Amino acid sequence: GQQLNQSPQSMFIQEGEDVSMNCTSSSIFNTWLWYKQDPGEGPVLLIALYKAGELTSNGRLTAQFGITRKDSFLNISASIPSDVGIYFCAGLNSGGSNYKLTFGKGTLLTVNP
Amino acid sequence: NAGVMQNPRHLVRRRGQEARLRCSPMKGHSHVYWYRQLPEEGLKFMVYLQKENIIDESGMPKERFSAEFPKEGPSILRIQQVVRGDSAAYFCASSPAPGGGSDGYTFGSGTRLTVV
């Protein structure tokens, strides 16, 4: 089946630092999504990317959809303590199963105040 | 405007018992998806349902697991004769259109199943 390789697995940073994480795939996805999951909660959508090469921002978050449609990155600028959580990339399939999300294994972000 | 509601939030079952997980989609959403998350893993697709129809159950184990989304009432994920390996967080998501459209899915807070 399809797999997403997400890195890094975890990050420990100081408040105010910038963060970057990425996902790569051997398969093409038509849509890339970035989610954040807080402990004991479900994933919450942060950014959705629909076109190859697209660069989208949401506040301090910036994400890009790779030109090859096989990768994406997420940047968080000027991190704050509430950025702590697990960040997941997800690709939405193309074609007949365009409802099925494939998730990466997540990046656990810890922000030291 | 309530989000996707899942209950119970936590469920403990002994091996061999049945587990029933409920999901009420967002108002106006007729597409429901179930995902399973094992510890330190991403979510894995299980099943996609529309009202009264199973569209894709390719991610669901063929034995002991079943799902339904009746005309009235919540979607139910049912696990019969649970085993320890069924312990996981089960998430439901809903959308107004297949694949979520421009907003993607909306996920519920999940049901954490523990089999003892």
Side-chain angles (χ1 to χ4, degrees):
Chain A
Q2 292 173 309
Q3 285 188 319
L4 293 185
N5 298 309
Q6 186 171 350
S7 63
Q9 197 171 357
S10 61
M11 301 184 75
F12 298 85
I13 62 170
Q14 293 296 126
E15 182 176 359
E17 289 183 353
D18 297 343
V19 170
S20 185
M21 58 193 80
N22 68 79
C23 268
T24 59
S25 169
S26 57
S27 308
I28 286 173
F29 288 101
N30 280 350
T31 300
W32 281 88
L33 304 164
W34 285 92
Y35 287 88
K36 183 186 180 212
Q37 185 177 28
D38 291 326
E41 296 297 329
V44 174
L45 182 65
L46 298 174
I47 289 183
L49 301 155
Y50 301 103
K51 287 167 57 175
E54 178 182 356
L55 184 71
T56 297
S57 292
N58 178 9
R60 294 179 296 106
L61 307 177
T62 301
Q64 183 156 34
F65 191 156
I67 288 287
T68 64
R69 294 197 284 159
K70 292 183 178 181
D71 63 298
S72 177
F73 72 75
L74 174 71
N75 288 344
I76 305 173
S77 63
S79 58
I80 58 178
S82 62
D83 290 334
V84 165
I86 304 176
Y87 291 79
F88 290 99
C89 61
L92 193 59
N93 286 19
S94 58
S97 59
N98 62 344
Y99 46 77
K100 192 182 296 187
L101 285 174
T102 300
F103 281 82
K105 290 192 175 184
T107 295
L108 173 61
L109 178 64
T110 303
V111 179
N112 295 319
Chain B
N1 187 17
V4 177
M5 305 301 292
Q6 288 189 250
N7 67 82
R9 290 291 301 268
H10 300 274
L11 182 61
V12 179
R13 284 286 178 266
R14 295 186 184 280
R15 279 179 295 171
Q17 291 185 320
E18 178 179 289
R20 278 181 174 249
L21 289 61
R22 294 176 188 76
C23 168
S24 295
M26 282 185 71
K27 189 175 180 182
H29 287 194
S30 58
H31 302 261
V32 165
Y33 319 82
W34 286 92
Y35 284 76
R36 177 163 64 176
Q37 185 179 33
L38 295 171
E40 299 184 10
E41 294 282 327
L43 282 71
K44 295 270 194 305
F45 172 82
M46 297 182 74
V47 61
Y48 163 37
L49 309 106
Q50 292 181 31
K51 281 286 186 183
E52 300 185 273
N53 289 303
I54 297 175
I55 307 301
D56 182 351
E57 55 183 350
S58 60
M60 202 154 65
K62 299 225 181 320
E63 295 180 356
R64 302 186 299 108
F65 284 71
S66 62
E68 63 177 12
F69 188 16
K71 188 176 180 182
E72 302 290 338
S75 176
I76 306 285
L77 179 68
R78 183 180 174 210
I79 311 172
Q80 295 178 290
Q81 299 174 325
V82 296
V83 301
R84 289 231 170 99
D86 297 332
S87 296
Y90 292 83
F91 291 97
C92 170
S94 73
S95 68
S102 60
D103 294 328
Y105 297 175
T106 300
F107 281 90
S109 296
T111 293
R112 276 133 191 96
L113 172 65
T114 303
V115 179
V116 296

mmCIF file of all heavy atoms in Angstrom, chain A residues 2-3 12 19 21 27 33 45 47 51 56 71 84-85 90 94 96 103 110 113:
data_model
loop_
_atom_site.group_PDB
_atom_site.id
_atom_site.type_symbol
_atom_site.label_atom_id
_atom_site.label_comp_id
_atom_site.label_asym_id
_atom_site.label_seq_id
_atom_site.Cartn_x
_atom_site.Cartn_y
_atom_site.Cartn_z
ATOM 1 N N GLN A 2 0.182 2.397 -0.132
ATOM 2 C CA GLN A 2 0.915 3.658 -0.152
ATOM 3 C C GLN A 2 1.462 3.964 1.237
ATOM 4 O O GLN A 2 0.822 3.666 2.248
ATOM 5 C CB GLN A 2 -0.015 4.785 -0.600
ATOM 6 C CG GLN A 2 -0.435 4.667 -2.050
ATOM 7 C CD GLN A 2 -1.472 5.688 -2.413
ATOM 8 O OE1 GLN A 2 -2.467 5.823 -1.737
ATOM 9 N NE2 GLN A 2 -1.230 6.404 -3.497
ATOM 10 N N GLN A 3 2.635 4.605 1.258
ATOM 11 C CA GLN A 3 3.229 4.998 2.526
ATOM 12 C C GLN A 3 3.788 6.395 2.422
ATOM 13 O O GLN A 3 4.264 6.820 1.360
ATOM 14 C CB GLN A 3 4.365 4.040 2.896
ATOM 15 C CG GLN A 3 3.896 2.695 3.398
ATOM 16 C CD GLN A 3 5.040 1.861 3.932
ATOM 17 O OE1 GLN A 3 6.109 1.846 3.354
ATOM 18 N NE2 GLN A 3 4.806 1.176 5.028
ATOM 19 N N PHE A 12 12.845 18.751 19.544
ATOM 20 C CA PHE A 12 12.830 19.486 20.806
ATOM 21 C C PHE A 12 13.435 20.862 20.512
ATOM 22 O O PHE A 12 14.596 20.944 20.136
ATOM 23 C CB PHE A 12 13.659 18.769 21.870
ATOM 24 C CG PHE A 12 13.139 17.411 22.206
ATOM 25 C CD1 PHE A 12 13.499 16.313 21.440
ATOM 26 C CD2 PHE A 12 12.294 17.223 23.272
ATOM 27 C CE1 PHE A 12 13.018 15.047 21.745
ATOM 28 C CE2 PHE A 12 11.804 15.960 23.581
ATOM 29 C CZ PHE A 12 12.166 14.879 22.815
ATOM 30 N N VAL A 19 10.647 25.881 12.936
ATOM 31 C CA VAL A 19 10.593 24.422 12.820
ATOM 32 C C VAL A 19 10.277 24.053 11.380
ATOM 33 O O VAL A 19 9.477 24.739 10.725
ATOM 34 C CB VAL A 19 9.476 23.857 13.727
ATOM 35 C CG1 VAL A 19 9.237 22.391 13.454
ATOM 36 C CG2 VAL A 19 9.813 24.074 15.178
ATOM 37 N N MET A 21 9.402 20.437 9.008
ATOM 38 C CA MET A 21 9.196 18.996 8.909
ATOM 39 C C MET A 21 8.718 18.676 7.505
ATOM 40 O O MET A 21 8.155 19.542 6.829
ATOM 41 C CB MET A 21 8.210 18.513 9.966
ATOM 42 C CG MET A 21 6.863 19.159 9.918
ATOM 43 S SD MET A 21 5.853 18.834 11.402
ATOM 44 C CE MET A 21 6.538 20.010 12.567
ATOM 45 N N SER A 27 4.447 7.539 -4.085
ATOM 46 C CA SER A 27 3.261 7.685 -4.933
ATOM 47 C C SER A 27 2.879 9.157 -5.060
ATOM 48 O O SER A 27 3.227 9.972 -4.218
ATOM 49 C CB SER A 27 2.066 6.942 -4.331
ATOM 50 O OG SER A 27 2.378 5.619 -4.031
ATOM 51 N N LEU A 33 -2.325 17.320 2.979
ATOM 52 C CA LEU A 33 -2.929 17.964 4.131
ATOM 53 C C LEU A 33 -1.976 17.864 5.308
ATOM 54 O O LEU A 33 -1.250 16.869 5.453
ATOM 55 C CB LEU A 33 -4.252 17.274 4.492
ATOM 56 C CG LEU A 33 -5.297 17.192 3.360
ATOM 57 C CD1 LEU A 33 -6.367 16.164 3.689
ATOM 58 C CD2 LEU A 33 -5.934 18.549 3.127
ATOM 59 N N LEU A 45 -7.240 19.921 11.088
ATOM 60 C CA LEU A 45 -6.620 20.362 9.846
ATOM 61 C C LEU A 45 -5.956 21.728 10.019
ATOM 62 O O LEU A 45 -6.564 22.666 10.521
ATOM 63 C CB LEU A 45 -7.672 20.439 8.734
ATOM 64 C CG LEU A 45 -7.162 20.844 7.357
ATOM 65 C CD1 LEU A 45 -6.212 19.776 6.804
ATOM 66 C CD2 LEU A 45 -8.325 21.065 6.393
ATOM 67 N N ILE A 47 -3.485 22.980 7.280
ATOM 68 C CA ILE A 47 -3.313 23.529 5.928
ATOM 69 C C ILE A 47 -3.642 22.433 4.930
ATOM 70 O O ILE A 47 -3.278 21.277 5.123
ATOM 71 C CB ILE A 47 -1.860 24.018 5.705
ATOM 72 C CG1 ILE A 47 -1.590 25.278 6.527
ATOM 73 C CG2 ILE A 47 -1.602 24.299 4.233
ATOM 74 C CD1 ILE A 47 -0.195 25.857 6.312
ATOM 75 N N LYS A 51 -2.464 22.044 -5.335
ATOM 76 C CA LYS A 51 -1.781 22.114 -6.630
ATOM 77 C C LYS A 51 -0.287 21.968 -6.446
ATOM 78 O O LYS A 51 0.307 22.539 -5.527
ATOM 79 C CB LYS A 51 -2.066 23.465 -7.289
ATOM 80 C CG LYS A 51 -3.474 23.611 -7.832
ATOM 81 C CD LYS A 51 -3.808 25.039 -8.175
ATOM 82 C CE LYS A 51 -2.861 25.668 -9.155
ATOM 83 N NZ LYS A 51 -3.294 27.027 -9.562
ATOM 84 N N THR A 56 1.328 27.728 0.690
ATOM 85 C CA THR A 56 0.181 28.277 1.413
ATOM 86 C C THR A 56 0.575 28.590 2.846
ATOM 87 O O THR A 56 1.297 27.820 3.475
ATOM 88 C CB THR A 56 -0.984 27.272 1.409
ATOM 89 O OG1 THR A 56 -1.415 27.057 0.071
ATOM 90 C CG2 THR A 56 -2.168 27.791 2.207
ATOM 91 N N ASP A 71 5.890 15.035 -2.405
ATOM 92 C CA ASP A 71 6.435 15.506 -1.135
ATOM 93 C C ASP A 71 5.802 16.827 -0.725
ATOM 94 O O ASP A 71 5.208 17.538 -1.536
ATOM 95 C CB ASP A 71 7.955 15.663 -1.231
ATOM 96 C CG ASP A 71 8.353 16.703 -2.257
ATOM 97 O OD1 ASP A 71 8.041 16.513 -3.455
ATOM 98 O OD2 ASP A 71 8.958 17.710 -1.872
ATOM 99 N N VAL A 84 3.089 22.708 20.815
ATOM 100 C CA VAL A 84 3.382 21.329 21.206
ATOM 101 C C VAL A 84 2.283 20.392 20.724
ATOM 102 O O VAL A 84 1.104 20.703 20.826
ATOM 103 C CB VAL A 84 3.521 21.230 22.746
ATOM 104 C CG1 VAL A 84 3.454 19.782 23.203
ATOM 105 C CG2 VAL A 84 4.802 21.876 23.203
ATOM 106 N N GLY A 85 2.683 19.270 20.180
ATOM 107 C CA GLY A 85 1.714 18.282 19.711
ATOM 108 C C GLY A 85 2.350 17.398 18.656
ATOM 109 O O GLY A 85 3.552 17.457 18.418
ATOM 110 N N ALA A 90 -0.675 14.124 5.461
ATOM 111 C CA ALA A 90 -1.594 13.145 4.891
ATOM 112 C C ALA A 90 -1.779 13.449 3.416
ATOM 113 O O ALA A 90 -1.862 14.611 3.019
ATOM 114 C CB ALA A 90 -2.945 13.168 5.612
ATOM 115 N N SER A 94 -5.755 9.881 -5.432
ATOM 116 C CA SER A 94 -6.368 10.333 -6.672
ATOM 117 C C SER A 94 -7.250 9.217 -7.216
ATOM 118 O O SER A 94 -7.305 8.121 -6.662
ATOM 119 C CB SER A 94 -5.283 10.700 -7.684
ATOM 120 O OG SER A 94 -4.449 9.580 -7.917
ATOM 121 N N GLY A 96 -10.195 6.737 -8.286
ATOM 122 C CA GLY A 96 -11.438 6.200 -7.746
ATOM 123 C C GLY A 96 -11.538 6.219 -6.233
ATOM 124 O O GLY A 96 -12.630 6.224 -5.690
ATOM 125 N N PHE A 103 -1.757 8.604 5.969
ATOM 126 C CA PHE A 103 -1.062 9.431 6.945
ATOM 127 C C PHE A 103 0.397 9.023 7.109
ATOM 128 O O PHE A 103 0.738 7.841 7.017
ATOM 129 C CB PHE A 103 -1.722 9.310 8.328
ATOM 130 C CG PHE A 103 -2.970 10.127 8.493
ATOM 131 C CD1 PHE A 103 -4.184 9.655 8.032
ATOM 132 C CD2 PHE A 103 -2.928 11.356 9.116
ATOM 133 C CE1 PHE A 103 -5.351 10.405 8.186
ATOM 134 C CE2 PHE A 103 -4.083 12.121 9.285
ATOM 135 C CZ PHE A 103 -5.291 11.640 8.820
ATOM 136 N N THR A 110 8.105 19.260 20.673
ATOM 137 C CA THR A 110 8.148 19.751 22.052
ATOM 138 C C THR A 110 8.799 21.121 22.036
ATOM 139 O O THR A 110 9.864 21.290 21.439
ATOM 140 C CB THR A 110 8.975 18.811 22.947
ATOM 141 O OG1 THR A 110 8.407 17.499 22.885
ATOM 142 C CG2 THR A 110 8.954 19.294 24.394
ATOM 143 N N PRO A 113 9.765 26.388 26.977
ATOM 144 C CA PRO A 113 9.542 27.835 27.169
ATOM 145 C C PRO A 113 10.822 28.564 27.534
ATOM 146 O O PRO A 113 11.772 27.981 28.045
ATOM 147 C CB PRO A 113 8.539 27.899 28.323
ATOM 148 C CG PRO A 113 8.115 26.522 28.599
ATOM 149 C CD PRO A 113 9.088 25.575 27.959
#
